[in-house]
Amino acid sequence: MKLTRRHSVLVGVVILALLVAGLGAIVLTRGEHESEQAGGDEMPSALAGHLEHLREAIPGNGGESAEGPGGAAQDEFQALAYPAKTVTLDKVNRSQNAFRNARGRSANKVASLAPVGTWQQLGPSQAEYPFSPLRNAGNYVPNKYIAGGRTTSVAINNTCTVASCRLYATPAGGGVWRTDNALATTPSWTYLGGPLGINAAGTVSIDPNDATGNTVYVGTGEPNVCASGCVAGVGLYKSIDGGDTWTGPLGGA
Protein backbone atom coordinates (compact mmCIF):
# COMPACT_ATOMS: atom_id res chain seq x y z
CA MET A 1 0.00 0.00 0.00
CA LYS A 2 2.89 2.37 0.81
CA LEU A 3 4.52 1.64 -2.55
CA THR A 4 1.38 2.58 -4.34
CA ARG A 5 1.16 5.94 -2.53
CA ARG A 6 4.83 6.68 -3.15
CA HIS A 7 4.41 5.76 -6.80
CA SER A 8 1.43 8.13 -7.09
CA VAL A 9 3.36 10.99 -5.48
CA LEU A 10 6.34 10.39 -7.76
CA VAL A 11 4.14 10.35 -10.86
CA GLY A 12 2.46 13.59 -9.68
CA VAL A 13 5.80 15.31 -9.22
CA VAL A 14 6.99 14.22 -12.66
CA ILE A 15 3.77 15.43 -14.30
CA LEU A 16 4.02 18.76 -12.47
CA ALA A 17 7.64 19.17 -13.56
CA LEU A 18 6.69 18.44 -17.16
CA LEU A 19 3.86 20.97 -17.03
CA VAL A 20 6.15 23.67 -15.64
CA ALA A 21 8.81 22.92 -18.26
CA GLY A 22 6.23 22.97 -21.08
CA LEU A 23 4.76 26.24 -19.88
CA GLY A 24 8.19 27.81 -19.70
CA ALA A 25 8.98 26.66 -23.23
CA ILE A 26 5.71 28.12 -24.53
CA VAL A 27 6.37 31.47 -22.85
CA LEU A 28 9.95 31.57 -24.13
CA THR A 29 8.90 30.67 -27.68
CA ARG A 30 6.14 33.30 -27.70
CA GLY A 31 8.51 35.93 -26.36
CA GLU A 32 11.06 35.13 -29.07
CA HIS A 33 8.34 35.26 -31.73
CA GLU A 34 7.08 38.65 -30.52
CA SER A 35 10.63 39.93 -30.36
CA GLU A 36 11.24 38.82 -33.94
CA GLN A 37 8.02 40.53 -35.06
CA ALA A 38 8.95 43.72 -33.28
CA GLY A 39 12.42 43.59 -34.72
CA GLY A 40 11.03 43.02 -38.21
CA ASP A 41 8.62 45.98 -38.05
CA GLU A 42 10.92 48.31 -36.19
CA MET A 43 12.64 50.94 -38.34
CA PRO A 44 16.10 52.32 -37.66
CA SER A 45 15.84 55.11 -35.09
CA ALA A 46 17.20 57.75 -37.48
CA LEU A 47 14.65 56.91 -40.19
CA ALA A 48 11.80 56.73 -37.67
CA GLY A 49 12.75 60.15 -36.32
CA HIS A 50 12.96 61.60 -39.82
CA LEU A 51 9.52 60.27 -40.79
CA GLU A 52 8.03 61.56 -37.56
CA HIS A 53 9.52 64.99 -38.32
CA LEU A 54 7.93 64.91 -41.79
CA ARG A 55 4.54 63.95 -40.33
CA GLU A 56 4.63 67.06 -38.15
CA ALA A 57 4.52 69.22 -41.30
CA ILE A 58 1.15 67.80 -42.34
CA PRO A 59 -1.55 70.48 -41.80
CA GLY A 60 -3.47 69.84 -38.63
CA ASN A 61 -0.91 67.33 -37.35
CA GLY A 62 1.08 69.52 -35.01
CA GLY A 63 2.86 71.42 -37.75
CA GLU A 64 1.69 74.18 -40.05
CA SER A 65 -2.06 74.63 -39.67
CA ALA A 66 -4.35 74.50 -42.68
CA GLU A 67 -5.81 77.82 -43.80
CA GLY A 68 -9.45 77.91 -42.82
CA PRO A 69 -11.48 78.53 -39.67
CA GLY A 70 -8.28 78.23 -37.65
CA GLY A 71 -6.16 80.32 -40.01
CA ALA A 72 -4.40 83.58 -39.16
CA ALA A 73 -6.63 85.67 -41.44
CA GLN A 74 -9.80 84.30 -39.84
CA ASP A 75 -8.36 84.82 -36.38
CA GLU A 76 -7.56 88.44 -37.21
CA PHE A 77 -11.07 88.98 -38.55
CA GLN A 78 -12.61 87.50 -35.43
CA ALA A 79 -10.43 89.75 -33.28
CA LEU A 80 -11.80 92.78 -35.14
CA ALA A 81 -15.36 91.56 -34.65
CA TYR A 82 -15.05 90.65 -30.96
CA PRO A 83 -17.22 90.42 -28.90
CA ALA A 84 -19.54 89.90 -31.90
CA LYS A 85 -18.98 87.00 -34.29
CA THR A 86 -18.85 89.08 -37.48
CA VAL A 87 -18.31 92.64 -38.73
CA THR A 88 -21.53 94.01 -40.18
CA LEU A 89 -21.66 96.08 -43.35
CA ASP A 90 -23.00 99.01 -41.33
CA LYS A 91 -19.92 98.93 -39.10
CA VAL A 92 -17.62 98.78 -42.13
CA ASN A 93 -19.30 101.83 -43.68
CA ARG A 94 -19.15 103.78 -40.41
CA SER A 95 -15.48 102.93 -40.00
CA GLN A 96 -14.66 104.09 -43.53
CA ASN A 97 -16.58 107.35 -43.02
CA ALA A 98 -14.77 107.97 -39.73
CA PHE A 99 -11.42 107.39 -41.45
CA ARG A 100 -12.25 109.82 -44.27
CA ASN A 101 -13.39 112.46 -41.76
CA ALA A 102 -10.25 112.03 -39.67
CA ARG A 103 -8.12 112.38 -42.78
CA GLY A 104 -9.74 115.72 -43.58
CA ARG A 105 -9.12 117.08 -40.09
CA SER A 106 -5.34 117.10 -40.40
CA ALA A 107 -4.23 120.41 -38.91
CA ASN A 108 -0.64 121.12 -39.90
CA LYS A 109 0.48 121.78 -43.45
CA VAL A 110 4.13 121.98 -44.41
CA ALA A 111 4.75 123.88 -47.61
CA SER A 112 7.73 121.76 -48.63
CA LEU A 113 5.68 118.55 -48.50
CA ALA A 114 2.73 117.32 -50.50
CA PRO A 115 -0.71 118.70 -49.46
CA VAL A 116 -2.23 117.09 -46.40
CA GLY A 117 -4.40 114.09 -47.23
CA THR A 118 -2.41 113.02 -50.33
CA TRP A 119 0.67 110.88 -50.80
CA GLN A 120 3.73 111.57 -52.90
CA GLN A 121 5.49 108.55 -54.36
CA LEU A 122 9.20 108.47 -53.58
CA GLY A 123 10.03 105.16 -55.21
CA PRO A 124 11.69 103.01 -56.18
CA SER A 125 9.22 101.92 -58.84
CA GLN A 126 11.18 98.72 -59.46
CA ALA A 127 12.36 96.12 -56.98
CA GLU A 128 15.98 95.38 -57.79
CA TYR A 129 17.61 92.30 -56.30
CA PRO A 130 21.26 93.23 -55.65
CA PHE A 131 24.33 91.21 -56.48
CA SER A 132 25.58 89.35 -53.42
CA PRO A 133 29.26 88.51 -52.94
CA LEU A 134 28.14 86.17 -50.10
CA ARG A 135 26.10 83.95 -52.41
CA ASN A 136 26.04 80.23 -51.80
CA ALA A 137 24.29 77.13 -53.16
CA GLY A 138 21.01 78.14 -51.51
CA ASN A 139 21.16 81.83 -52.44
CA TYR A 140 22.89 82.13 -55.79
CA VAL A 141 22.64 85.58 -57.36
CA PRO A 142 25.03 85.83 -60.33
CA ASN A 143 24.26 89.54 -60.78
CA LYS A 144 21.60 92.11 -59.93
CA TYR A 145 18.19 91.75 -61.54
CA ILE A 146 14.67 93.19 -61.41
CA ALA A 147 12.61 91.06 -59.03
CA GLY A 148 8.87 90.53 -58.86
CA GLY A 149 6.51 88.99 -56.34
CA ARG A 150 3.24 87.08 -56.59
CA THR A 151 0.84 88.55 -59.18
CA THR A 152 -2.86 87.93 -58.62
CA SER A 153 -4.26 89.21 -61.93
CA VAL A 154 -3.29 90.69 -65.30
CA ALA A 155 -5.47 92.44 -67.91
CA ILE A 156 -4.29 93.52 -71.36
CA ASN A 157 -6.01 95.94 -73.73
CA ASN A 158 -7.54 94.50 -76.92
CA THR A 159 -5.83 97.25 -78.94
CA CYS A 160 -2.35 96.10 -77.91
CA THR A 161 0.35 96.68 -80.54
CA VAL A 162 4.12 96.61 -80.45
CA ALA A 163 4.21 100.41 -80.36
CA SER A 164 1.49 100.82 -77.73
CA CYS A 165 0.32 98.05 -75.42
CA ARG A 166 -1.53 98.88 -72.23
CA LEU A 167 -1.50 96.26 -69.48
CA TYR A 168 -2.70 96.28 -65.87
CA ALA A 169 -1.35 94.09 -63.09
CA THR A 170 -2.30 93.57 -59.45
CA PRO A 171 0.60 92.19 -57.39
CA ALA A 172 -0.36 90.70 -54.04
CA GLY A 173 -0.38 93.52 -51.52
CA GLY A 174 0.95 95.92 -54.15
CA GLY A 175 -2.15 97.76 -55.40
CA VAL A 176 -2.67 98.32 -59.12
CA TRP A 177 -0.01 99.02 -61.75
CA ARG A 178 -0.24 100.01 -65.42
CA THR A 179 2.20 100.00 -68.30
CA ASP A 180 1.63 101.42 -71.79
CA ASN A 181 4.58 99.57 -73.33
CA ALA A 182 4.05 96.01 -72.12
CA LEU A 183 5.89 94.53 -75.13
CA ALA A 184 9.01 96.64 -74.58
CA THR A 185 12.20 95.02 -73.38
CA THR A 186 11.88 96.96 -70.13
CA PRO A 187 8.29 98.16 -69.62
CA SER A 188 7.73 101.30 -67.57
CA TRP A 189 5.12 101.05 -64.83
CA THR A 190 2.82 103.56 -63.09
CA TYR A 191 1.32 102.93 -59.67
CA LEU A 192 -2.47 103.53 -59.62
CA GLY A 193 -3.54 102.10 -56.26
CA GLY A 194 -3.27 105.25 -54.13
CA PRO A 195 -7.01 106.13 -54.08
CA LEU A 196 -8.08 102.58 -53.21
CA GLY A 197 -9.12 101.83 -49.65
CA ILE A 198 -6.58 98.99 -49.34
CA ASN A 199 -3.41 98.03 -51.15
CA ALA A 200 -4.32 94.35 -51.52
CA ALA A 201 -5.86 93.68 -54.94
CA GLY A 202 -7.05 90.31 -56.19
CA THR A 203 -8.29 90.99 -59.72
CA VAL A 204 -8.31 93.59 -62.49
CA SER A 205 -10.52 93.55 -65.59
CA ILE A 206 -11.00 95.81 -68.63
CA ASP A 207 -14.64 96.36 -69.61
CA PRO A 208 -15.06 94.78 -73.10
CA ASN A 209 -18.08 97.01 -73.74
CA ASP A 210 -15.86 100.10 -73.80
CA ALA A 211 -14.10 100.28 -77.16
CA THR A 212 -11.53 102.75 -75.79
CA GLY A 213 -10.40 100.26 -73.13
CA ASN A 214 -10.45 102.99 -70.49
CA THR A 215 -13.12 101.40 -68.26
CA VAL A 216 -11.37 99.24 -65.72
CA TYR A 217 -12.61 97.36 -62.65
CA VAL A 218 -10.46 96.30 -59.71
CA GLY A 219 -11.51 93.92 -56.93
CA THR A 220 -9.65 94.55 -53.69
CA GLY A 221 -8.45 91.88 -51.29
CA GLU A 222 -6.75 88.61 -52.07
CA PRO A 223 -8.94 85.49 -51.90
CA ASN A 224 -6.16 83.00 -52.51
CA VAL A 225 -5.61 80.42 -49.77
CA CYS A 226 -2.19 81.05 -48.30
CA ALA A 227 -0.40 82.07 -45.15
CA SER A 228 1.38 85.16 -46.39
CA GLY A 229 -0.95 88.04 -45.69
CA CYS A 230 -4.11 87.12 -47.59
CA VAL A 231 -6.73 89.65 -46.47
CA ALA A 232 -10.32 90.58 -47.06
CA GLY A 233 -10.86 93.49 -49.43
CA VAL A 234 -13.00 96.61 -49.06
CA GLY A 235 -14.97 96.33 -52.30
CA LEU A 236 -14.97 96.88 -56.05
CA TYR A 237 -13.55 100.01 -57.73
CA LYS A 238 -14.18 101.43 -61.19
CA SER A 239 -12.19 103.77 -63.43
CA ILE A 240 -13.29 105.33 -66.73
CA ASP A 241 -9.95 106.98 -67.52
CA GLY A 242 -7.60 104.01 -67.56
CA GLY A 243 -6.92 103.99 -63.83
CA ASP A 244 -5.96 107.64 -63.36
CA THR A 245 -8.96 108.14 -61.06
CA TRP A 246 -11.26 105.68 -59.28
CA THR A 247 -14.77 105.58 -57.87
CA GLY A 248 -15.78 103.18 -55.18
CA PRO A 249 -16.02 100.98 -53.37
CA LEU A 250 -19.11 99.95 -55.30
CA GLY A 251 -21.99 98.03 -53.79
CA GLY A 252 -21.71 96.16 -50.51
CA ALA A 253 -20.99 92.77 -49.09
Side-chain angles (χ1 to χ4, degrees):
M1 190 69 180
K2 291 182 179 180
L3 292 176
T4 303
R5 291 180 61 185
R6 288 178 181 176
H7 179 72
S8 299
V9 171
L10 181 60
V11 171
V13 170
V14 173
I15 292 175
L16 181 61
L18 291 175
L19 288 175
V20 171
L23 181 60
I26 292 173
V27 171
L28 181 61
T29 304
R30 182 177 178 183
E32 292 177 350
H33 179 66
E34 290 178 349
S35 177
E36 290 175 358
Q37 281 190 327
D41 296 338
E42 188 179 48
M43 290 179 290
S45 58
L47 177 58
H50 176 66
L51 293 178
E52 181 61 29
H53 181 68
L54 292 179
R55 278 193 290 270
E56 291 178 357
I58 300 175
N61 194 32
E64 179 184 357
S65 63
E67 192 73 15
Q74 182 67 20
D75 183 69
E76 181 181 358
F77 181 80
Q78 290 177 345
L80 291 173
Y82 185 83
K85 293 187 179 297
T86 185
V87 179
T88 65
L89 181 59
D90 179 60
K91 289 182 179 179
V92 172
N93 291 334
R94 279 189 288 163
S95 176
Q96 291 176 347
N97 289 334
F99 175 76
R100 283 191 288 266
N101 293 335
R103 229 174 135 183
R105 290 195 302 266
S106 206
N108 300 324
K109 291 186 179 182
V110 182
S112 60
L113 298 178
V116 173
T118 62
W119 289 88
Q120 182 178 359
Q121 183 179 336
L122 299 179
S125 60
Q126 292 180 330
E128 185 174 76
Y129 204 101
F131 167 79
S132 174
L134 304 177
R135 61 190 185 275
N136 53 39
N139 181 28
Y140 183 71
V141 182
N143 46 41
K144 63 181 181 180
Y145 68 94
I146 303 300
R150 187 172 69 257
T151 301
T152 58
S153 181
V154 171
I156 189 169
N157 202 314
N158 290 333
T159 60
C160 174
T161 63
V162 175
S164 176
C165 185
R166 175 166 287 188
L167 181 143
Y168 300 87
T170 55
V176 186
W177 293 78
R178 181 188 69 204
T179 178
D180 290 326
N181 59 342
L183 299 181
T185 302
T186 306
S188 56
W189 293 90
T190 301
Y191 175 67
L192 307 174
L196 306 185
I198 191 172
N199 215 31
T203 183
V204 58
S205 180
I206 302 172
D207 189 349
N209 298 306
D210 183 359
T212 66
N214 288 326
T215 302
V216 184
Y217 291 90
V218 167
T220 57
E222 188 185 357
N224 300 326
V225 177
C226 68
S228 58
C230 301
V231 296
V234 297
L236 184 69
Y237 285 82
K238 176 183 179 181
S239 174
I240 59 173
D241 54 13
D244 291 333
T245 61
W246 298 92
T247 57
L250 308 176

